[in-house]
């Protein structure tokens, strides 16, 4: 991957689903918690009073992954390559509260004090993780994609309790904004130059107002899953770009076969054609970064063979370069 994604393309701290729970996005989030600890149970991760084997394994894997990436990029640089910017994916505090359990088995989301403590713990631990990555990997630029696939379910009260017989009351807008604000502030202070919010859906007016338009902590842009975009979403996206926001476009449809992907020109047209219809200048495409899948379908490439995954990566890289040529 590093050989394919040299500057200006972004490389990543890859997640390997084959290592299962301890190396997953959720496992990494539990490893980042500061002064809070979690263990695996039959129903998932739950908070416990003291660190155990599960915490140690998740923490060791995360530290090792950062160090391995640093070694690979260092070797690449010695061979004359130019390592690109680094993008880290992190589970945000609201979605983490839907997936992590209290010691009694219920979800953290159900308890106001636990939600606050979790957000503060995650923020502190994520800051340490970023600082480790900056010291070890030394990227020319670091971007964090904050994954919040459950954010809208939390806002609408659609998250089920552990029993499944009821749903957890929706969180007020002020609280979710505060929880994410705590996290964003910590990422910024730790050295993240760019923060992109991936909600698993196009950003709506509320999200833009809360995380771009108010006086508190703000993100630099939003993810845009193209398979869910409507005309109003394109208009909203154009407005974001005109306000100097960045867009992370999820280019592929989740049911699209990776062994028969469209040609580069067709993939580029998924972004360029709506852009042109809105009357946006081609140069504004510089605000768009593309990826295969966003928060909801991000592990699909992991199901591919190595050869298929590299073909997909190459197709995406070539599409990004085609869009860059169009914008120039």
């Amino acid at each position: 991957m590093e050989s394919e994604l040299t500057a200006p393309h972004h490389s990543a701290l890859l997640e390997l689903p084959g290592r299962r729970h301890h190396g997953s996005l959720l496992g990494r989030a539990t490893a980042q918690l500061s002064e809070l600890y979690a263990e695996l149970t039959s129903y998932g991760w739950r908070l416990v009073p003291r660190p155990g084997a599960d915490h140690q394994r998740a923490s060791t894997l995360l530290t090792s992954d950062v160090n391995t990436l640093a070694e690979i990029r260092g070797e690449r640089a010695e061979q004359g390559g130019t390592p690109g910017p680094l993008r880290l994916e992190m589970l945000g505090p609201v979605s983490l509260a839907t997936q992590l359990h209290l010691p009694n088995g219920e979800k953290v989301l159900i308890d106001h004090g636990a939600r606050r403590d979790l957000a503060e713990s995650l923020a502190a631990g994520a800051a340490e993780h970023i600082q480790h990555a900056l010291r070890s990997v030394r990227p020319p630029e670091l971007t964090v994609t904050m994954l919040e696939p459950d954010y809208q379910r939390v806002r609408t009260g659609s998250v089920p309790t552990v029993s499944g017989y009821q749903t957890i009351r929706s969180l007020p807008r002020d609280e979710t904004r505060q929880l994410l604000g705590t996290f964003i502030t910590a990422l910024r202070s730790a050295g993240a130059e760019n923060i992109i919010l991936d909600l698993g859906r196009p950003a709506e007016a509320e999200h833009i107002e809360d995380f771009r338009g108010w006086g508190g902590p703000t993100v630099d842009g939003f993810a845009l899953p193209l398979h869910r975009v409507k005309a109003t979403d394109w208009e909203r996206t154009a407005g974001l770009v005109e306000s100097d926001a960045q867009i992370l476009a999820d280019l592929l449809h989740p049911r699209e076969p990776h062994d028969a992907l469209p040609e580069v020109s067709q993939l580029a047209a998924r972004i360029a054609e709506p852009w042109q219809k809105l009357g946006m200048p081609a140069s504004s495409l510089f605000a768009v970064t593309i990826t295969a899948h966003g928060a909801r379908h991000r592990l699909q490439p992991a199901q591919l063979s190595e050869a298929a995954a590299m073909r997909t990566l190459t197709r995406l890289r070539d599409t990004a370069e085609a869009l860059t040529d169009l914008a120039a």
Side-chain angles (χ1 to χ4, degrees), residues 88-146:
L88 299 178
E89 293 186 334
M90 296 187 184
L91 190 61
V94 172
S95 293
L96 177 57
T98 72
Q99 300 178 38
L100 187 61
H101 298 260
L102 295 166
N104 65 8
E106 193 48 82
K107 295 178 180 179
V108 169
L109 184 65
I110 208 166
D111 185 285
H112 173 77
R115 295 192 299 265
R116 182 198 59 225
D117 292 345
L118 182 67
E120 293 175 353
S121 173
L122 181 64
E128 293 180 5
H129 176 51
I130 285 176
Q131 290 165 358
H132 177 209
L134 289 173
R135 288 193 306 269
S136 302
V137 181
R138 299 184 180 277
E141 180 179 280
L142 188 142
T143 295
V144 173
T145 301
M146 182 168 55

Side-chain angles (χ1 to χ4, degrees), residues 22-217:
H22 297 89
S24 68
L25 182 70
L26 178 56
R28 284 180 169 179
T30 64
Q32 290 170 26
L33 294 176
S34 176
E35 299 184 3
L36 288 179
Y37 311 101
E39 69 177 8
L40 273 171
T41 68
S42 59
Y43 50 82
W45 289 91
R46 72 170 179 182
L47 294 172
V48 290
R50 59 189 62 85
D54 290 319
H55 172 81
Q56 182 62 41
R57 184 177 178 189
S59 298
T60 299
L61 282 174
L62 183 58
T63 300
S64 175
D65 287 346
V66 173
N67 294 339
T68 299
L69 178 62
E71 291 174 6
I72 293 172
R73 286 171 64 102
E75 292 173 0
R76 179 65 181 167
E78 290 175 359
Q79 296 169 2
T82 305
L86 177 64
R87 181 179 297 272
L88 299 178
E89 293 186 334
M90 296 187 184
L91 190 61
V94 172
S95 293
L96 177 57
T98 72
Q99 300 178 38
L100 187 61
H101 298 260
L102 295 166
N104 65 8
E106 193 48 82
K107 295 178 180 179
V108 169
L109 184 65
I110 208 166
D111 185 285
H112 173 77
R115 295 192 299 265
R116 182 198 59 225
D117 292 345
L118 182 67
E120 293 175 353
S121 173
L122 181 64
E128 293 180 5
H129 176 51
I130 285 176
Q131 290 165 358
H132 177 209
L134 289 173
R135 288 193 306 269
S136 302
V137 181
R138 299 184 180 277
E141 180 179 280
L142 188 142
T143 295
V144 173
T145 301
M146 182 168 55
L147 303 175
E148 280 285 1
D150 296 320
Y151 186 88
Q152 198 63 17
R153 292 202 305 152
V154 170
R155 286 285 295 114
T156 57
S158 304
V159 178
T161 58
V162 171
S163 68
Y165 294 121
Q166 296 178 311
T167 56
I168 299 172
R169 177 184 297 181
S170 64
L171 296 194
R173 183 176 175 182
D174 285 348
E175 182 177 352
T176 55
R177 182 168 57 191
Q178 182 177 14
L179 293 173
L180 263 64
T182 297
F183 195 56
I184 293 167
T185 298
L187 299 180
R188 240 7 130 196
S189 298
E193 282 115 320
N194 304 295
I195 302 171
I196 306 298
L197 178 56
D198 187 343
L199 298 161
R201 56 188 293 150
E204 299 178 3
E206 174 185 311
H207 309 135
I208 295 171
E209 182 179 341
D210 285 353
F211 302 112
R212 284 285 295 177
W214 76 304

